[in-house]
Amino acid sequence: MSAEYQVNGNIAVITLNNPPVNGLGHATRSAIVNGMKQALNDEAVKAVVITGAGKAFSGGADIKEFNSPKASAEPSLHTVINVVEGSEKPVVAAIHTVCMGGGLELALGCHYRIAAKGAQIALPEVKLGILPGAGGTQRLPRVLGLEMALNMIVSGTPVASEKLAKTAIFNEVVEGDVLEAALAFAAKVADVRPLPRVRDIKIDYPNYEAYLQFSRNTVRAMAGPFPAPLKCVEAVAAAVTKKFDDGIKFERDLFVDLVQTTESKALRHAFFGERAASKLPDVPEDTPVRSIKSVAVIGAGTMGGGIAMNFANAGIPVQILEMKQEALDKGLATIRKNYENTLKKGKLTQEKFDQRVGLITGTLSYDDIAQADIVIEAVFEDMGVKEQVFKKLDEVMKPGAILASNTSTLDVDKIADFTKRPEDVIGTHFFSPANVMKLLEIVRGKKTAKDVLATVLGLSKKIKKTGVVSGVCDGFIGNRMIEQYSRQAGFLLEEGCTPEQVDKAVEKLGFAMGPFRMGDLAGNDIGWYIRKRRYVEKPQITYSKTADLLCEMGRFGQKTGAGWYDYKPGDRKAYPSQVVNDMIIKHSADLGVERRKISDQEIVERLVFALVNEAAYILEEGIATRASDIDMVYLTGYGFPLHTGGPMFYADTVGLTNVVMSMEKYAKGRHGDAWKPAPLLAKLAAEGKTFN
């Protein structure tokens, strides 16, 4: 049943019932209209209450129907709202828990609204690159006033019902059972006429032109490449300047335009990509999971400390193991300082601070962590060190404990084979800083048990991470691809670019930072260490020597005060370095390469298409389950611009035929061997298909 109809005395109750959040799918919309007809045709019924079953009034559109004919099939949400608003019997919305998007638009079409305290109220459409399309931009300003409504619509941020209690949006905000309160209210107003309609409220805002112009300027500056926030302002402006029905039509036209934009398609792709990432074809949703009530982390360094904070933030106790008291004290002090900074900024209450700090303890003994449900190793990235740790864990950890490694490139199968329980071993690759970055690469070994995988996927949600599953290969999804990106960045330096020019070109596209600023932040010595390993293991892969020359100068990045850029004490700003630029120019001369002027377009294409081509191999080898998983890795872990939807979606937007044609052009230049299209990419391009 997508909605239930009952009569309580002389009041009809329509209860939306489409779990988990009573999405307004086609069946639910039809059921509301049928319920309204039944109530209007029953002379004994004096009023109608609409509410939602379970844990929501309604979360809005049914995401399962997005982009399908059902989404716009009649009765559309507009039709449903017209039926409710046009009813000659009063309709009361009984709002609880979640009332968002189309759910809020439906409630605004009712004559009265009773809300439970703590209900989350929002029009979050802007986060999907669209705007409320069923009257939200026209009705909300009429009940909240221009400023508050505009802020809610442009930000998409939920507001608790009690914070809106002094406005005209709710007739009552109640503690306790909201349905009982709504029934009592409906009985009271059953005979009151005329019926109040939100559409009839006049918006009274003196000097609205000046306020709207100020809003346009502010939103334009903040929206960056996204068109939806500014269109939200225009739609709300129409609520003030146009007749209601004209405003509704104007809102609809803007909505239809936005749905077609690449930016909205990219945001919707990311929205669905995040949900898809936690689903694996061979791990059913009902796979039993192991209980995780305590965590141990090996290593109190930057990574170990950051990992521990994730679990403390989620209310799970963590023990950190170190070999030396000094290292342990330093690690725990850093964690405390991180929390103190958040406390000072007012983003944490004293109570939460005490609770989180209290959940993290330290130890020097493996025996103390033996009963932990999961142990995450965050020690030095060296197979010999990992071997010692995992042999010890195999010895001490209780049966059924999950043994996880935070390795960023090493072979998880090899690590698993150091133990007698490889089925309990998994890779959990956190990104630095681990307490901030959203991405968690979950590395599935050959022998990793399905319940271990399901448990860690669930755990990633609990600690507010986007968990993406990768198979075992050198560098997994993210770092395996970034290597090709970094190689191209190095070649661009040899051929005529400066680090600043390369960084600026991709930052203009929307990257959080370009490859050279990223190297300086992460530490250039890390890449140097990996390249030295590559020179032995994969001598056939060529690299620009500029990065090695930089490291030989001791310029490891921000931590040494100098990298690709110069840094001043206490200042993280990157200043172009004459020394580095001279070194690069000399290196080109030593290679006999004549430097040339390189366009921003070439820089962006070479960096991004290098990622895309490697990703096509990753997909083909089954290392990643789907193209959108790769996009999620790059959107949440590597600062890839959100409005492009990730590297694979970006390539789809450019057109895979165009990608291959560009690659063929670059194959004629230096290092042309890097540009052989992966078979999957070549095949999809030839067939006119896309990755996603």
Side-chain angles (χ1 to χ4, degrees):
M1 278 296 290
S2 43
E4 287 152 16
Y5 181 88
Q6 278 173 320
V7 178
N8 189 320
N10 59 0
I11 296 163
V13 180
I14 298 170
T15 307
L16 314 184
N17 190 358
N18 178 17
V21 291
N22 299 322
L24 294 166
H26 184 250
T28 307
R29 299 195 303 270
S30 302
I32 297 169
V33 172
N34 292 338
M36 285 301 302
K37 281 183 184 159
Q38 205 170 333
L40 293 172
N41 290 333
D42 184 345
E43 279 179 21
V45 168
K46 294 280 183 232
V48 182
V49 170
I50 297 180
T51 191
K55 293 201 165 108
F57 172 77
S58 170
D62 192 336
I63 60 171
K64 295 193 283 288
E65 289 183 9
F66 257 53
N67 301 338
S68 79
K70 275 187 170 176
S72 55
E74 285 293 347
S76 69
L77 186 53
H78 271 288
T79 304
V80 175
I81 292 169
N82 288 341
V83 167
V84 168
E85 192 175 54
S87 157
E88 61 262 28
K89 297 178 183 180
V91 183
V92 182
I95 296 164
H96 63 88
T97 332
V98 172
C99 178
M100 294 187 188
L104 179 54
E105 290 175 304
L106 171 63
L108 290 169
C110 296
H111 304 113
Y112 303 98
R113 285 158 298 284
I114 309 297
K117 253 190 168 165
Q120 295 294 301
I121 311 298
L123 288 175
E125 287 81 353
V126 72
K127 294 179 177 175
L128 295 182
I130 50 180
L131 51 70
T137 64
Q138 304 307 296
R139 288 188 179 88
L140 197 65
R142 285 174 157 81
V143 290
L144 289 188
L146 186 58
E147 284 186 45
M148 194 187 270
L150 187 67
N151 286 338
M152 274 182 75
I153 292 168
V154 168
S155 71
T157 311
V159 178
S161 55
E162 60 270 25
K163 291 200 172 144
L164 304 172
K166 291 193 167 65
T167 70
I169 188 169
F170 302 127
N171 299 86
E172 288 177 6
V173 176
V174 299
E175 301 246 17
D177 190 330
V178 72
L179 181 57
E180 262 176 44
L183 288 166
F185 187 88
K188 206 166 65 188
V189 297
D191 297 319
V192 175
R193 297 293 182 277
L195 295 172
R197 301 187 308 176
V198 170
R199 62 180 290 150
D200 299 330
I201 299 172
K202 282 285 293 166
I203 297 175
D204 183 23
Y205 194 93
N207 201 2
Y208 64 81
E209 290 102 333
Y211 174 69
L212 288 169
Q213 199 44 53
F214 161 76
S215 301
R216 284 184 189 102
N217 297 342
T218 314
V219 170
R220 190 177 286 115
M222 288 174 64
F226 292 104
L230 206 54
K231 292 273 200 267
C232 287
V233 178
E234 296 311 333
V236 171
V240 189
T241 57
K242 295 178 186 287
K243 289 191 175 126
F244 183 83
D245 288 328
D246 295 341
I248 287 281
K249 187 180 178 314
F250 183 70
E251 173 195 84
R252 191 76 206 153
D253 291 345
L254 291 179
F255 176 86
V256 170
D257 289 347
L258 282 172
V259 167
Q260 297 310 319
T261 61
T262 305
E263 291 81 2
S264 173
K265 287 175 181 166
L267 286 173
R268 294 188 325 254
H269 170 68
F271 178 81
F272 289 112
E274 186 162 1
R275 279 149 185 76
S278 60
K279 296 176 174 60
L280 292 172
D282 66 328
V283 180
E285 294 212 15
D286 57 358
T287 302
V289 294
R290 302 186 187 185
S291 165
I292 305 289
K293 294 201 170 66
S294 61
V295 178
V297 176
I298 315 287
T302 314
M303 212 58 201
I307 291 170
M309 287 173 76
N310 286 305
F311 292 100
N313 295 350
I316 303 170
V318 191
Q319 271 190 306
I320 302 181
L321 173 86
E322 255 299 348
M323 295 298 96
K324 296 193 175 70
Q325 189 65 47
E326 188 190 354
L328 183 60
D329 292 344
K330 189 180 163 201
L332 291 172
T334 305
I335 291 171
R336 191 179 181 90
K337 195 163 158 254
N338 279 339
Y339 279 132
E340 277 166 0
N341 289 340
T342 318
L343 181 67
K344 275 189 203 122
K345 286 180 192 154
K347 291 183 177 169
L348 205 60
T349 60
Q350 185 65 47
E351 184 191 356
K352 279 264 191 295
F353 170 87
D354 295 338
Q355 182 198 9
R356 288 175 185 187
V357 171
L359 282 170
I360 300 174
T361 52
T363 178
L364 300 175
S365 160
Y366 271 96
D367 294 338
D368 288 346
I369 64 165
Q371 293 307 308
D373 297 315
I374 182 170
V375 55
I376 300 169
E377 159 280 307
V379 300
F380 190 63
E381 188 71 344
D382 175 272
M383 199 53 105
V385 181
K386 306 276 190 202
E387 179 173 7
Q388 289 173 335
V389 170
F390 274 84
K391 284 188 166 159
K392 186 70 184 164
L393 290 175
D394 191 32
E395 210 178 286
V396 299
M397 296 309 292
K398 69 177 184 185
I402 295 174
L403 315 183
S405 171
N406 176 52
T407 178
S408 54
T409 51
L410 299 177
D411 186 336
V412 172
D413 289 330
K414 219 177 206 171
I415 292 172
D417 283 341
F418 296 141
T419 73
K420 295 187 191 68
R421 37 171 139 178
E423 68 283 356
D424 291 338
V425 177
I426 194 165
T428 49
H429 177 206
F430 287 82
F431 283 68
S432 189
N435 51 314
V436 178
M437 294 296 277
K438 282 264 302 179
L439 178 63
L440 177 62
E441 254 185 335
I442 299 170
V443 187
R444 175 185 199 171
K446 267 205 305 278
K447 296 174 182 162
T448 304
K450 287 184 184 179
D451 67 333
V452 168
L453 197 55
T455 303
V456 174
L457 271 165
L459 197 55
S460 71
K461 279 201 182 99
K462 198 163 187 186
I463 59 171
K464 298 191 163 66
K465 299 285 182 207
T466 300
V468 179
V469 176
S470 168
V472 174
C473 66
D474 200 341
F476 316 129
I477 296 170
N479 283 345
R480 174 170 160 185
M481 285 164 64
I482 210 80
E483 186 172 14
Q484 300 308 322
Y485 170 91
S486 304
R487 281 178 72 212
Q488 285 304 319
F491 297 152
L492 284 162
L493 295 184
E494 291 179 359
E495 292 169 40
C497 291
T498 61
E500 188 189 17
Q501 190 197 346
V502 174
D503 283 351
K504 279 195 161 153
V506 290
E507 285 162 15
K508 204 160 77 188
L509 179 70
F511 273 74
M513 56 177 68
F516 298 109
R517 278 178 58 209
M518 187 169 81
D520 277 0
L521 182 67
N524 296 310
D525 49 331
I526 297 171
W528 196 24
Y529 179 80
I530 291 170
R531 279 192 306 281
K532 285 175 181 170
R533 204 175 86 216
R534 292 278 190 276
Y535 296 147
V536 178
E537 293 171 6
K538 295 184 177 171
Q540 72 282 10
I541 297 184
T542 49
Y543 295 89
S544 163
K545 282 283 186 284
T546 45
D548 294 356
L549 294 169
L550 184 82
C551 290
E552 283 162 21
M553 293 157 80
R555 296 180 68 104
F556 294 158
Q558 286 187 13
K559 59 185 170 190
T560 56
W564 292 105
Y565 296 91
D566 293 333
Y567 297 91
K568 295 172 184 172
D571 179 2
R572 292 188 148 223
K573 190 172 184 296
Y575 296 92
S577 166
Q578 197 53 53
V579 179
V580 172
N581 291 347
D582 290 346
M583 175 269 282
I584 291 167
I585 290 165
K586 181 182 180 301
H587 183 59
S588 298
D590 292 347
L591 290 171
V593 173
E594 193 178 329
R595 292 175 70 79
R596 64 186 173 88
K597 192 169 167 24
I598 296 175
S599 70
D600 284 0
Q601 184 185 354
E602 180 176 337
I603 294 170
V604 168
E605 287 187 349
R606 283 175 62 175
L607 293 177
V608 176
F609 296 169
L611 288 175
V612 169
N613 199 39
E614 192 61 31
Y617 284 112
I618 286 172
L619 265 181
E620 212 162 353
E621 292 164 22
I623 299 294
T625 308
R626 50 185 84 78
S628 63
D629 285 3
I630 296 170
D631 285 334
M632 292 321 299
V633 166
Y634 268 77
L635 291 173
T636 58
Y638 290 85
F640 205 92
L642 180 59
H643 72 279
T644 66
M648 311 308 269
F649 189 82
Y650 179 78
D652 287 344
T653 307
V654 171
L656 300 189
T657 321
N658 296 328
V659 173
V660 169
M661 276 164 64
S662 296
M663 289 174 68
E664 284 163 354
K665 181 175 73 193
Y666 298 131
K668 297 188 179 97
R670 273 172 61 77
H671 305 294
D673 55 329
W675 290 112
K676 186 179 183 321
L680 175 65
L681 173 56
K683 180 175 180 289
L684 291 173
E687 292 170 359
K689 290 185 177 157
T690 55
F691 284 119
N692 285 292

